[in-house]
Amino acid sequence: MDRDLLTHLPVVVAVARRGGFALAAAELGMSPSAVSHAVRLVEERIGQPLFARTTRSVSLTEAGKALVETAAPALQDIAERMDRIRGVKGRPAGLLRINASNIAIPLAVTPVVAAMAERYPDVMVEVFAEQGLVDIVGEGFDAGIRLGEMIAQDMVTVRLTPPFKAVVVASPAYIGKHGRPRNVADLGNHNCIGYRLVRSGGLYRWDLNEDGKDVVVETRGTAVVTDSLGAIDLALAGVGLAYVFEPLVRADLAAGRLVQILPKTAIEEPGLFLYFPRRASMAPKLRAFIDTAQEIGRASMRTPGRAA
């Protein structure tokens, strides 16, 4: 068995996962030159190039793809088994990588990470915020967080939040200047803050309910953002109408900084869920995250919220 080869395999997998030497170096805490040296050593031992390099991109060769497809699951399994061994001896430990949608960060991630920092100081939680869906297994994540309707059926899911509504809001200043929309069709006469879908490049169409039927509304306006928090800031500044999830603006609605528009058109979303492959729940670090999230969720359900 070539021990040097085994030592450098995690570097090769990181370069493949990150799509570049510099990004892999940042993830691993190594210099780019050290990463290049490790990859070159593996290539020399195997006798084939693993990556096709240009000035703009790095991609796997056929040999590289075969190696990564074999090595990545094996390395992940070893890491999980080591975490379980640490968990038997003491507290959960290791790096927990979570891929979450932007809106999940304030609603379901921040309070859990804050609690875990106190309870499990040996666990480092790395949160990668991304708008679209990703292959969490292929990208090396332990778990993901998305709306329930977006999750593949073969994943184990754990509810993190109760269902919530998607609402249209505006500031009192905007309403005072432009008035309120009278109905869904009237939204076309108002400045609506748009959402750019990062992966597809298209503009998100608002999902609303009109007379008991779901409708999809194309909006237009002078501002486009890529996340809900940006839309909320613009709405608070009086720029226009924003389409957001109600928990994100609950405090602003209660304080009168924002006003809900056409409340009967609001649709209900299933809420946010943590999801992961079935075998991953055995890892103590993920189990600790799940237990902490569920405890915080139960506490928030018992605590009356401010009416919006």
Side-chain angles (χ1 to χ4, degrees), residues 9 80 89 91 103 221 227 243 258 270 273 275 286 296-297:
L9 282 180
E80 290 175 359
K89 295 182 65 176
R91 306 178 71 171
I103 62 107
D227 68 86
Y243 180 84
L258 292 174
F273 290 77
Y275 64 99
L286 182 56
I296 290 174

Side-chain angles (χ1 to χ4, degrees), residues 111-128:
V112 180
V113 173
M116 288 192 65
E118 294 292 330
R119 300 178 187 181
Y120 307 106
D122 295 327
V123 176
M124 177 187 293
V125 184
E126 179 181 81
V127 182
F128 190 92

Side-chain angles (χ1 to χ4, degrees), residues 91-288:
R91 306 178 71 171
L95 174 64
L96 180 65
R97 302 185 73 239
I98 293 178
N99 187 289
S101 59
N102 290 349
I103 62 107
I105 305 302
L107 295 182
V109 176
T110 301
V112 180
V113 173
M116 288 192 65
E118 294 292 330
R119 300 178 187 181
Y120 307 106
D122 295 327
V123 176
M124 177 187 293
V125 184
E126 179 181 81
V127 182
F128 190 92
E130 188 160 359
Q131 187 186 74
L133 286 173
V134 300
D135 177 3
I136 60 170
V137 176
E139 295 291 333
F141 293 100
D142 297 286
I145 301 176
R146 292 294 188 281
L147 291 173
E149 62 190 13
M150 301 175 67
I151 300 171
Q153 295 297 317
D154 60 345
M155 291 286 173
V156 178
T157 60
V158 176
R159 178 177 287 278
L160 296 181
T161 72
F164 45 70
K165 291 186 175 181
V167 299
V168 180
V169 297
S171 70
Y174 178 88
I175 294 172
K177 186 175 182 179
H178 301 281
R180 292 172 179 258
R182 298 181 300 275
N183 49 47
V184 171
D186 198 26
L187 290 173
N189 298 318
H190 283 265
N191 196 22
C192 297
I193 300 164
Y195 288 104
R196 179 72 64 189
L197 299 173
V198 175
R199 285 186 174 266
S200 69
L203 286 175
Y204 180 76
R205 297 184 297 173
W206 295 5
D207 293 312
L208 299 171
N209 184 288
E210 186 175 32
D211 299 327
K213 296 180 180 180
D214 291 339
V215 295
V216 178
V217 181
E218 292 188 7
T219 60
R220 61 181 182 179
T222 60
V224 176
V225 297
T226 57
D227 68 86
S228 297
L229 299 183
I232 293 169
D233 286 342
L234 291 173
L236 287 168
V239 172
L241 310 181
Y243 180 84
V244 296
F245 293 127
E246 185 271 338
L248 292 173
V249 292
R250 189 170 295 162
D252 293 313
L253 291 169
R257 293 185 291 268
L258 292 174
V259 176
Q260 186 174 351
I261 303 298
L262 302 174
K264 292 183 179 180
T265 67
I267 64 167
E268 187 170 83
E269 297 286 357
L272 292 166
F273 290 77
L274 182 80
Y275 64 99
F276 47 87
R278 189 166 302 278
R279 66 186 177 91
S281 61
M282 297 296 293
K285 59 186 179 182
L286 182 56
R287 187 74 255 170

Side-chain angles (χ1 to χ4, degrees), residues 24-108:
E27 176 185 319
L28 298 171
M30 301 170 61
S31 66
S33 61
V35 169
S36 296
H37 174 75
V39 171
R40 186 165 59 252
L41 186 147
V42 175
E43 290 177 326
E44 289 173 355
R45 297 296 173 87
I46 292 177
Q48 296 188 68
L50 301 175
F51 296 97
R53 306 166 177 84
T54 70
T55 56
R56 295 187 177 183
S57 66
V58 174
S59 60
L60 286 166
T61 62
E62 185 175 351
K65 183 178 180 181
L67 177 63
V68 170
E69 287 178 348
T70 301
L75 291 171
Q76 181 66 25
D77 186 60
I78 292 170
E80 290 175 359
R81 289 175 184 271
M82 292 299 295
D83 286 341
R84 287 201 290 272
I85 292 170
R86 293 191 191 100
V88 170
K89 295 182 65 176
R91 306 178 71 171
L95 174 64
L96 180 65
R97 302 185 73 239
I98 293 178
N99 187 289
S101 59
N102 290 349
I103 62 107
I105 305 302
L107 295 182

